[in-house]
Amino acid sequence: MKKMMMFAALGIATIGVAVAATIYHLRDDQPIGYSELPAKAQKFVEKYYAGVDVMHITMDRDVTSTEYDVALGNGTKIEFNADGEWRDVDAHRSAVPSDIVPKQIKSYVDKNYKGDDIVELKRERNGWDVKLSRGLELEFDSAFRLTEVDD
């Protein structure tokens, strides 16, 4: 019985050390080089932001996911998932690349907010968040129906 208790305690201690080591290595906002960014993310930056300096890149890894944050010299911030797919493009005060805006959202904004630029576009699990140059925030569901307007 004593041996079983000792083995159980040793097993628990081993698991604890392994978990602590894993957590230690999963640091938030770890700086990385451009070459460490997933290829798909690199292609996105090169296609839509050619000639714009990449200021810094951080990798945010936790137990369930990895994200990459890219800051560009023109103030744009882009968030990518582990596969290199963009999740959020915040162009600060300028327009996000029109090619990445779903046509349904682009049409809605062009029709209802003529003259406004989309300055942030974010993919959510169940839809899209859009921020306009006038400060309005629009939310669309996955079928591109407007669900909320927030000023």
Side-chain angles (χ1 to χ4, degrees):
M1 183 74 168
K2 283 185 179 181
K3 283 185 180 182
M4 285 183 73
M5 293 295 274
M6 190 164 70
F7 281 123
L10 183 60
I12 290 171
T14 302
I15 290 170
V17 169
V19 168
T22 301
I23 290 171
Y24 176 77
H25 290 289
L26 301 179
R27 297 182 192 143
D28 289 344
D29 301 327
Q30 178 181 359
I32 63 168
Y34 186 76
S35 63
E36 297 173 81
L37 196 60
K40 193 171 188 176
Q42 289 180 29
K43 287 178 184 174
F44 181 91
V45 172
E46 291 161 8
K47 179 177 181 178
Y48 296 109
Y49 294 96
V52 179
D53 291 334
V54 175
M55 303 307 289
H56 62 86
I57 303 170
T58 56
M59 178 176 61
D60 186 12
R61 189 183 323 181
D62 64 27
V63 176
T64 60
S65 67
T66 300
E67 294 177 351
Y68 299 90
D69 295 315
V70 177
L72 302 177
N74 66 357
T76 298
K77 294 180 182 174
I78 310 167
E79 181 182 301
F80 296 97
N81 67 12
D83 297 326
E85 295 175 351
W86 69 269
R87 306 312 278 156
D88 185 6
V89 177
D90 184 351
H92 201 53
R93 292 188 181 122
S94 58
V96 301
S98 62
D99 290 350
I100 70 168
V101 180
K103 64 182 179 189
Q104 300 92 328
I105 292 174
K106 186 171 176 16
S107 294
Y108 182 87
V109 170
D110 287 347
K111 179 181 176 187
N112 296 287
Y113 298 99
K114 198 171 211 78
D116 270 324
D117 289 326
I118 296 174
V119 296
E120 183 175 7
L121 183 62
K122 186 174 189 176
R123 294 181 189 180
E124 295 288 348
R125 175 170 279 148
N126 296 316
W128 300 80
D129 287 344
V130 175
K131 186 172 184 181
L132 303 178
S133 52
R134 74 169 71 177
L136 282 177
E137 295 182 19
L138 312 175
E139 290 184 20
F140 294 86
D141 64 16
S142 58
F144 303 105
R145 293 181 296 245
L146 183 69
T147 59
E148 188 175 331
V149 177
D150 189 13
D151 57 355

